[in-house]
C-alpha cells in the first residue's frame, strides 16, 4: 500500500537515505510542496515515478505541435 506524503516525510527525517522514489508529474504534484524541498535539504536523490501518469498526460498533447521555443533547446518530442 502506498504511503502518504506525511509518512514519507516522517521517514526521511529518521535517517539518511540515498534516494527516494515517488510519484511525481504535472498531474501529481503533491510531492512538490513538501517532499522535494525536504529531499533537497537532506541531500536525498529523487526518482520520479510515473512522470507521465502512465501515459495519461500525452492525451492532452496528442497531435499538437511543440512550442517554437522547444527546438531552440533541442527538444523534439513532448516526452523530452
Amino acid at each position: 500500500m502506498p504511503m502518504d506524503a506525511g509518512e514519507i516525510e516522517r521517514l526521511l527525517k529518521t535517517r539518511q537515505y540515498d534516494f527516494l522514489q515517488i510519484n511525481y508529474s504535472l498531474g501529481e504534484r503533491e510531492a512538490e510542496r513538501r517532499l522535494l524541498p525536504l529531499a533537497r535539504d537532506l541531500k536525498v536523490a529523487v526518482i520520479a515515478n510515473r512522470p507521465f501518469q502512465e501515459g495519461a498526460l500525452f492525451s492532452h498533447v496528442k497531435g499538437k505541435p511543440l512550442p517554437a521555443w522547444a527546438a531552440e533547446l533541442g527538444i523534439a518530442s513532448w516526452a523530452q
Side-chain angles (χ1 to χ4, degrees):
M1 177 163 63
M3 290 186 217
D4 67 24
E7 173 113 7
I8 294 169
E9 183 177 21
R10 184 185 65 74
L11 289 171
L12 281 174
K13 292 177 179 179
T14 63
R15 66 182 181 96
Q16 181 64 41
Y17 291 90
D18 294 324
F19 70 93
L20 168 66
Q21 183 171 351
I22 52 175
N23 289 353
Y24 180 63
S25 70
L26 290 174
E28 295 177 279
R29 297 177 67 171
E30 181 182 1
E32 189 173 298
R33 189 172 46 85
R34 290 167 52 186
L35 296 178
L36 293 180
L38 179 60
R40 179 197 60 224
D41 294 346
L42 297 173
K43 296 181 176 31
V44 176
V46 175
I47 300 170
N49 190 37
R50 294 173 32 115
F52 305 112
Q53 284 186 299
E54 296 181 347
L57 291 179
F58 290 119
S59 66
H60 299 288
V61 295
K62 186 175 182 177
K64 295 181 181 177
L66 292 170
W69 54 262
E72 296 171 17
L73 300 173
I75 298 170
S77 72
W78 284 104
Q80 290 178 311

